[in-house]
Amino acid sequence: MAGKTLYDKLWDDHLVKQRDDGSALIYIDRQLLHEVTSPQAFEGLRLAGRKPWRLDANLATPDHNVPTTDRERGVEGIVDPVSRIQVETLDKNCDEFGILEFKIKDQRQGIVHVIGPEQGATLPGMSIVCGDSHTSTHGAFGCLAHGIGTSEVEHVLATQCLVQQKMKNMLVKVNGKLGPGVTGKDVVLAIIGKIGTAGGTGYAIEFGGEAIRDLSMEARMTICNMSIEAGARVGMVAVDQTTIDYVKDRPFAPKGDMRDKAIEYWKTLHSDEDAVFDKVVELDGSAIQPQVSWGTSPEMVSAVGGNVPDPEAEADPIKREGIVRALKYMGLQPNMSIGDIKLDRVFIGSCTNSRIEDLREVAKVVKGRKVSPSLKQAMVVPGSGLVKAQAEQEGLDKIFIEAGLEWRDPGCSMCLAMNADKLGQGEHCASTSNRNFEGRQGFGGRTHLVSPAMAAAAAIHGHFVDVREMMN
Amino acid sequence: MRAFTQHKGVVAPMDRSNVDTDMIIPKQFLKSIKRSGFGPNLFDELRYLDEGKPDQDCSQRPINPDFVLNQDRYKASSILLARRNFGCGSSREHAPWALEDFGFRVIIAPSFADIFYNNCFKNGLLPIVLDEEKVDQLFAEVKAEEGYQLSVDLEAKTVTTPSGQVFNFEVDDFRRHCLLKGLDDIGVTLEDAELIQSYEESRRKTAPWLFSRGA
């Protein structure tokens, strides 16, 4: 019999019941909650007279709607009354049901997918859900983690379980070593460019290979975070010493004997040598270049030295139509150089790229340089209050401010523009976020997805440049 | 949840691939703490020419006459015909809520994004996967004939065209069962409460750190 994949092991360890109809009950170890996708779930519990099954499995924080300025005023500082009601509703629900919440003025507040790992609330081998598609981030720890809808948030609150069908196994193997200046973000954009935004639909993806093994936890989180942009709800990386070292001493992580016991188990969280995957995709890591998205889908990417595509060269009529539509929305011409795209704003942040390592990368590029006067705005939004404090302790904030970058308070911010941070109509933005959909960062806004280092380089020049040329 | 057994209705063609959930319901409407009332803002950025705001009276807004749902022949549609990877992106259940609130009961496409597909079943909305070739044929027929209707039978797992052509589709048994009966699946899961408790007890022994929160 063939060995098990990491996904098979995680599935088996969380299986409560296999039903005859092919569906299964899967136990959930951790649920993360935020203000946007939880209010209707709590209301559903109330209407049905149900109580949460296990309070200590839940952790909540407001992130999507919070402002990134004026935070000392707390909830009162949220100018938009509709946003404020949503944050207040989360506070009320967590207080009423007894769920631990890092509220807006708590230093531990931040983007759910940043604070889970930061607190050790994300531990290897856990099953983790959240009403947010970027929950795949936590797969970087060898977790079975994925986004769910609000009905399922309610289901997990009430039963600590989810009804699931087992997915297929895919291995994405990135061989060799990444070149200097090439980051986790470039790797995942290159993967999406190769397999497409539906390439992973129906699969749980495990990212492996030498290039992945060499990456830090932050970079692995960036890659797993964007699995959903390749269509896969679940993205994972096997546990190794890098994982175990990262988790050690986090507030929610086990201590003493319990930690030793946990580590023993965590070390088993990798695919067996003889495991069989339904699909294997291989990439040469050394050939990956810094990436820039030019269109309105994350698969519409190019190497920084490349050109915007010509729809005439696309044989598939549906894809051709997609390119035509994207170029029109983005205001770009076929065959123009990526470097000639003029930028209006730069956004560095989001659950994809707002961790300390990301901010250090930005600081390295902008140190001693100035943001281009042609830009209207360039902002850095840390992923959590603790990331912010760490960055300030390292003096990164001073480097940013000196260079002309705005240094903000933590939240989702301009990744989806539910707070006051948004693009104006027709504006181009170099963004370290995860989605370049039409209107994502503001009505009529035009998003270009890049790594933090590439965003920093673009901020200095006002257009895209190859960050590797600035590294000497 | 509203049960779904059979449905016959007018078909609207949404002729673009990778329709994402930001497009189905833009973020500013996600600030609502309710589960209903999203219909007027379904496809907001495609449907209207101005930028939509929460709690606005949409009847006064300038509409985009080119958008499919603004055309008289599709205004009463309840079946949406779509292209590849429909519902990709965010997990927001507001997307199926908006489609359902507008009046859709069925969406037919060659493929759906996983989370969106799953969310539909929780809301009495039936997503149907048909081969690209058949979807192409349906697009051609819908565009050629005003008032074009399809009949969908979930029990029989069939889609029937006006000319009587029958397409079979697949849907897994549990989802089909819940939708046919309009079941509350939390209630179904709680029938296994004892099993869940015994799983927890055994995990507390083998993996106690999962229950300790750092203690």
Side-chain angles (χ1 to χ4, degrees), chain B residues 9-73:
Chain B
V10 172
V11 183
M14 182 79 185
D15 200 355
R16 62 193 285 172
S17 54
N18 296 317
V19 170
D20 58 71
T21 52
D22 278 79
M23 206 180 283
I24 298 172
I25 184 83
K27 67 239 157 207
Q28 62 269 39
F29 306 109
L30 273 50
K31 295 180 185 185
S32 168
I33 56 169
K34 291 184 255 166
R35 219 180 163 112
S36 56
F38 296 99
N41 300 109
L42 174 70
F43 296 120
D44 198 272
E45 291 184 7
L46 300 172
R47 205 161 139 198
Y48 304 99
L49 296 170
D50 62 346
E51 181 178 0
K53 299 192 173 55
D55 300 327
Q56 186 182 15
D57 177 6
C58 291
S59 65
Q60 304 303 313
R61 296 173 59 193
I63 65 157
N64 172 7
D66 296 334
F67 183 60
V68 57
L69 298 182
N70 287 332
Q71 294 167 25
D72 281 341
R73 60 188 281 193

Side-chain angles (χ1 to χ4, degrees), chain A residues 13 27 151-152 416 439, chain B residues 27 31 34 93 118 199-200:
Chain A
D13 283 352
Y27 189 81
S151 296
E152 289 184 320
L416 85 166
Chain B
K27 67 239 157 207
K31 295 180 185 185
K34 291 184 255 166
E93 197 162 317
N118 195 37
Y199 171 89
E200 272 182 341

Side-chain angles (χ1 to χ4, degrees), chain A residues 38-317:
Chain A
S38 67
Q40 298 88 350
F42 282 113
E43 186 61 15
L45 283 189
R46 241 179 248 118
L47 290 173
R50 290 177 176 133
K51 293 258 175 281
W53 179 277
R54 204 190 121 199
L55 287 172
D56 69 354
N58 297 284
L59 175 63
T61 198
D63 55 5
H64 286 61
N65 278 280
V66 300
T68 55
T69 54
D70 209 14
R71 283 285 279 280
E72 57 284 357
R73 294 181 59 211
V75 177
E76 293 304 312
I78 306 178
V79 179
D80 179 351
V82 198
S83 285
R84 191 166 63 231
I85 289 169
Q86 204 164 46
V87 173
E88 287 169 342
T89 303
L90 179 69
D91 291 352
K92 271 187 228 154
N93 283 329
C94 289
D95 291 345
E96 179 189 331
F97 286 97
I99 287 170
L100 177 63
E101 182 197 6
F102 298 156
K103 293 194 166 76
I104 190 166
K105 289 182 82 168
D106 192 316
Q107 197 186 27
R108 296 167 297 175
Q109 177 274 342
I111 305 173
V112 280
H113 309 309
V114 174
I115 69 164
E118 186 171 82
Q119 291 295 320
T122 300
L123 292 173
M126 274 185 166
S127 55
I128 301 180
V129 294
C130 174
D132 190 286
S133 61
H134 291 111
T135 309
S136 55
T137 309
H138 308 266
F141 292 81
C143 291
L144 176 57
H146 60 81
I148 54 178
T150 297
S151 296
E152 289 184 320
V153 172
E154 184 183 340
H155 195 122
V156 174
L157 280 169
T159 71
Q160 213 52 49
C161 288
L162 266 186
V163 180
Q164 294 281 289
Q165 279 78 24
K166 197 171 177 196
M167 290 175 265
K168 289 181 284 182
N169 280 289
M170 183 190 293
L171 175 64
V172 174
K173 207 172 165 202
V174 187
N175 300 313
K177 299 237 177 255
L178 301 180
V182 178
T183 68
K185 183 63 162 286
D186 302 303
V187 171
V188 73
L189 287 173
I191 291 168
I192 299 163
K194 184 180 170 88
I195 71 175
T197 51
T201 304
Y203 290 94
I205 298 182
E206 180 177 344
F207 299 96
E210 187 187 358
I212 303 290
R213 293 256 65 85
D214 286 350
L215 291 174
S216 66
M217 286 314 295
E218 283 90 343
R220 293 179 191 181
M221 283 189 253
T222 300
I223 292 177
C224 291
N225 172 278
M226 289 190 70
S227 321
I228 187 65
E229 266 58 68
R233 274 188 301 163
V234 169
M236 293 161 294
V237 175
V239 174
D240 61 9
Q241 198 57 43
T242 305
T243 327
I244 292 168
D245 291 345
Y246 185 97
V247 170
K248 195 181 161 208
D249 300 330
R250 303 257 160 201
F252 285 34
K255 316 281 188 302
D257 290 350
M258 210 196 276
R259 176 166 73 198
D260 297 340
K261 195 174 173 189
I263 290 174
E264 207 178 301
Y265 169 68
W266 294 343
K267 286 185 169 169
T268 67
L269 297 173
H270 53 80
S271 292
D272 294 332
E273 291 274 333
D274 56 344
V276 177
F277 289 84
D278 300 287
K279 191 171 178 182
V280 178
V281 175
E282 297 203 48
L283 277 85
D284 175 4
S286 67
I288 297 174
Q289 309 282 313
Q291 303 283 305
V292 179
S293 79
W294 50 263
T296 53
S297 164
E299 68 187 19
M300 294 173 164
V301 287
S302 162
V304 61
N307 293 330
V308 170
D310 187 340
E312 293 306 313
E314 175 59 56
D316 180 336

Side-chain angles (χ1 to χ4, degrees), chain A residues 333-397:
Chain A
Q333 303 305 315
N335 303 313
M336 74 184 278
S337 159
I338 293 288
D340 289 340
I341 300 171
K342 288 209 173 50
L343 296 167
D344 301 284
R345 293 180 202 262
V346 172
F347 170 65
I348 295 161
S350 86
C351 59
T352 313
N353 284 123
S354 63
R355 297 178 183 84
I356 191 68
E357 181 184 276
D358 300 316
L359 304 191
R360 288 180 190 140
E361 290 287 322
V362 174
K364 259 192 255 171
V365 176
V366 302
K367 191 174 184 178
R369 294 180 166 118
K370 293 281 180 199
V371 166
S372 168
S374 65
L375 292 180
K376 291 176 188 161
Q377 180 181 45
M379 63 198 285
V380 184
V381 182
S384 71
L386 289 169
V387 168
K388 186 174 193 216
Q390 170 83 28
E392 290 178 352
Q393 200 188 342
E394 295 180 18
L396 305 184
D397 58 323

Side-chain angles (χ1 to χ4, degrees), chain B residues 70-177:
Chain B
N70 287 332
Q71 294 167 25
D72 281 341
R73 60 188 281 193
Y74 300 124
K75 275 186 179 158
S77 54
S78 59
I79 298 177
L80 189 67
L81 183 64
R83 294 288 188 188
R84 290 175 205 167
N85 201 26
F86 188 86
C88 61
S90 152
S91 63
R92 59 187 71 166
E93 197 162 317
H94 311 68
W97 294 340
L99 287 158
E100 199 267 349
D101 198 54
F102 180 90
F104 285 111
R105 306 291 329 268
V106 177
I107 308 166
I108 300 173
S111 60
F112 292 91
D114 284 343
I115 302 177
F116 174 83
Y117 182 80
N118 195 37
N119 284 341
C120 285
F121 286 95
K122 313 281 183 190
N123 294 286
L125 195 60
L126 177 63
I128 295 176
V129 177
L130 289 181
D131 294 347
E132 191 127 15
E133 212 174 276
K134 290 171 187 157
V135 170
D136 282 342
Q137 179 193 326
L138 292 178
F139 265 101
E141 291 181 10
V142 169
K143 287 176 183 175
E145 185 188 328
E146 197 163 332
Y148 183 91
Q149 298 199 7
L150 288 171
S151 301
V152 174
D153 186 332
L154 180 58
E155 183 72 54
K157 297 189 273 188
T158 56
V159 175
T160 309
T161 72
S163 66
Q165 195 177 357
V166 177
F167 298 135
N168 297 304
F169 64 90
E170 290 300 322
V171 53
D172 74 70
D173 291 343
F174 179 74
R175 287 184 174 123
R176 176 161 156 267
H177 174 71

